[in-house]
Amino acid sequence: MHEMSIALSIVEAVDAKARQEGARKVSGIELLVGKLAGIEAESLKFCFSAAAKGTLAEDAILVIEEPEGTGECGECGTRFPVNFYYAECPGCRSLRITIVSGEEFLIQSMTIEEEGE
Amino acid sequence: MCDTCGCSTEGGAVLRKPGQSDYHVHVNEGDHDHAHAHEEQQSHDHGHHHEGTSRKVVLEQDVLQKNNLLAERNRGYFEARKIFALNFLSSPGSGKTSLLEKIIPALQPRFPVAVIEGDQQTTNDAERIQALGVPVIQINTGSGCHLDALMVNRAVKELELQDNSLLCIENVGNLVCPALFDLGEALKVVIISVTEGDDKPLKYPTMFHEADICILNKIDLLPYVEFDARKCRENAMQVNHHLEWFELSAKTGEGLAALQEWVERKLLQH
Ligand SMILES: Nc1nc2c(ncn2[C@@H]2O[C@H](COP(=O)(O)OP(=O)(O)OP(=O)(O)O)[C@@H](O)[C@H]2O)c(=O)[nH]1
Ligand SMILES: [Mg+2]
Ligand SMILES: [Zn+2]
Ligand SMILES: [Zn+2]
Ligand SMILES: [Zn+2]
Ligand SMILES: [Zn+2]
């Protein structure tokens, strides 16, 4: 279950940054997980709570945005939705497709709670 | 707890060498500095009570950044020493070790070869490779289902690699997550065998998309199974039109010469 080791790297990155920022806790995390990134969002959420136990991100709410895959044809330049299974240009039927979005896998931001002054 | 040394590392990867039961090295992060202990240390010493505030912090950080950075370090090391590293990936039992057993003796007269074996448990594969007389180290990932750049970084330190050599890394048998973890290799080699379905490239597109070379193995069994090699190739190409394609049998050696020639050419260009 690779989502577990991935959840651990997210927690580690977020926890480190939150400490740097002097946070008391992390209440939210926004992830960008492209549909083609090879990550199962549901399974990631499931692993996250276990991975975050005992860290600043323990109670954080995970929000996952999942951009659709987009391909660009190397022959005619057409852009169209892809999911790998049909990576064929609808314009000219070429298979020379480059993925231009959908492979993102980023921690975009987090919301931290801090002591007010 | 580790059975061998009794240390408290849980679930972490361990390096082993075949035939040396007293040798084992834990793959830990030397700079493990996310001190959980710090949690209580942020002493709350100002004496007035107040509401907490929340604030958004932008990271825009690749989730796999840590692995990717370390992989780049491995890659830089390999390039500086002209070590050509291949990452072999497949489902369990597609024939990764069998292929290495066949191709290493063919390459060895012209190029030094070393091997890193990844499995959850046992040194069986490393023992098979050691029988060929090449340096080999086993990474046991325990519960982990893939190799990562840190494990390879540590394994490389335990292997005496020569300049201008070939390093074969056999990943844990798994077509899913090894695709996501860059090890610093020059190329990824994915193996599929004719006893699997010819739609495998469509079922596990990420792996085939990330690979540079695809090898169809066990073609000696083609007469006995319902497997359309042409269809499989088409499926693979649909997912990744840059794939180099080879068909061979690690058992009979059929088709091996083409792969050997290709690897030798790459080794010289590298
Ligand atoms: N008939 C036939 N059998 C093969 C061939 N290549 C491998 N095998 C058999 O397939 C089985 C698995 O081969 P391995 O080389 O151990 O496979 P692997 O990918 O290294 O397996 P893991 O490391 O467990 O993931 C063994 O019984 C091999 O003898 C081949 O070309 N033809
Ligand atoms: Mg093997
Ligand atoms: Zn087109
Ligand atoms: Zn130990
Ligand atoms: Zn820790
Ligand atoms: Zn894994």
Side-chain angles (χ1 to χ4, degrees):
Chain A
M1 181 140 75
H2 65 292
E3 275 81 7
M4 190 61 199
S5 57
I6 282 162
L8 284 166
S9 8
I10 294 170
V11 168
E12 196 176 343
V14 162
D15 191 73
K17 181 74 173 171
R19 281 172 199 284
Q20 224 178 60
E21 297 280 333
R24 196 161 50 80
K25 62 180 254 187
V26 179
S27 55
I29 300 172
E30 279 177 22
L31 297 181
L32 199 61
V33 182
K35 287 261 170 70
L36 306 178
I39 307 292
E40 201 53 60
E42 276 317 305
S43 153
L44 184 59
K45 277 186 185 162
F46 180 78
C47 294
F48 179 81
S49 44
K53 277 255 153 52
T55 73
L56 294 187
E58 186 158 37
D59 302 320
I61 292 166
L62 204 56
V63 178
I64 304 183
E65 191 190 328
E66 297 178 83
E68 298 289 333
T70 307
E72 187 178 272
C73 176
E75 307 285 350
C76 73
T78 306
R79 283 196 174 201
F80 55 96
V82 294
N83 60 12
F84 280 157
Y85 298 83
Y86 303 102
E88 179 182 284
C89 174
C92 70
R93 313 219 56 188
S94 166
L95 294 176
R96 285 193 41 218
I97 307 305
T98 308
I99 305 296
V100 293
S101 84
E103 294 184 302
E104 300 84 353
F105 191 23
L106 296 176
I107 308 171
Q108 280 200 301
S109 66
M110 63 181 178
T111 307
I112 58 173
E113 306 293 323
E114 50 191 0
E115 306 295 335
E117 283 309 318
Chain B
M1 192 176 73
C2 168
D3 297 334
T4 310
C5 74
C7 70
S8 64
T9 314
E10 269 174 59
V14 175
L15 308 183
R16 297 183 197 278
K17 286 182 180 170
Q20 285 180 242
S21 55
D22 54 341
Y23 172 96
H24 87 289
V25 174
H26 289 268
V27 179
N28 295 323
E29 297 174 57
D31 48 357
H32 187 98
D33 57 2
H34 60 286
H36 313 287
H38 288 183
E39 225 150 324
E40 310 317 325
Q41 286 172 15
Q42 285 165 346
S43 56
H44 194 115
D45 56 4
H46 39 294
H48 56 282
H49 192 77
H50 48 70
E51 292 287 290
T53 56
S54 62
R55 170 162 71 91
K56 193 160 167 167
V57 178
V58 174
L59 281 95
E60 285 179 354
Q61 175 181 335
D62 194 315
V63 172
L64 297 168
Q65 187 185 54
K66 212 170 133 197
N67 186 74
N68 291 342
L69 289 175
L70 198 51
E72 280 311 321
R73 264 170 58 189
N74 292 347
R75 185 167 285 116
Y77 174 80
F78 295 147
E79 279 174 9
R81 301 201 42 199
K82 294 204 177 305
I83 294 164
F84 186 54
L86 294 176
N87 183 0
F88 289 84
L89 306 138
S90 82
S91 304
S94 303
K96 299 179 291 299
T97 313
S98 303
L99 176 62
L100 293 178
E101 286 176 305
K102 212 50 170 214
I103 202 163
I104 287 173
L107 292 168
Q108 220 182 347
R110 296 186 60 199
F111 303 95
V113 184
V115 178
I116 296 174
E117 278 293 337
D119 288 290
Q120 290 196 317
Q121 299 294 346
T122 84
T123 53
N124 293 354
D125 283 1
E127 279 156 26
R128 287 165 63 185
I129 298 299
Q130 196 183 36
L132 307 174
V134 298
V136 57
I137 194 149
Q138 177 80 51
I139 301 175
N140 282 143
T141 57
S143 60
C145 45
H146 57 267
L147 295 181
D148 65 32
L150 179 69
M151 297 173 196
V152 169
N153 186 275
R154 293 298 143 88
V156 160
K157 287 179 182 156
E158 302 291 320
L159 270 177
E160 280 169 29
L161 295 178
Q162 295 185 41
D163 290 353
N164 296 300
S165 63
L166 172 67
L167 173 62
C168 298
I169 305 170
E170 179 180 337
N171 217 308
V172 179
N174 175 352
L175 272 184
V176 186
C177 50
L180 302 172
F181 290 82
D182 185 6
L183 306 179
E185 72 278 340
L187 299 172
K188 286 187 170 73
V189 183
V190 62
I191 300 173
I192 171 175
S193 63
V194 305
T195 51
E196 303 164 49
D198 48 32
D199 57 352
K200 210 136 204 192
L202 301 182
K203 287 181 172 165
Y204 300 91
T206 310
M207 179 60 82
F208 288 84
H209 183 70
E210 291 301 314
D212 303 283
I213 305 164
C214 183
I215 294 172
L216 178 62
N217 187 32
K218 309 195 188 180
I219 58 169
D220 58 295
L221 298 178
L222 274 174
Y224 313 104
V225 292
E226 225 171 282
F227 184 98
D228 187 339
R230 231 192 59 192
K231 185 86 200 136
C232 183
R233 181 185 178 153
E234 274 173 22
N235 289 339
M237 291 297 165
Q238 201 170 42
V239 171
N240 178 357
H241 57 273
H242 297 293
L243 266 183
E244 289 283 339
W245 181 265
F246 294 93
E247 297 180 9
L248 55 84
S249 164
K251 186 177 178 190
T252 66
E254 186 188 350
L256 207 78
L259 177 66
Q260 181 192 339
E261 223 168 86
W262 190 86
V263 173
E264 287 183 339
R265 195 151 30 85
K266 285 285 170 184
L267 269 161
L268 291 172
Q269 287 170 1
H270 187 62

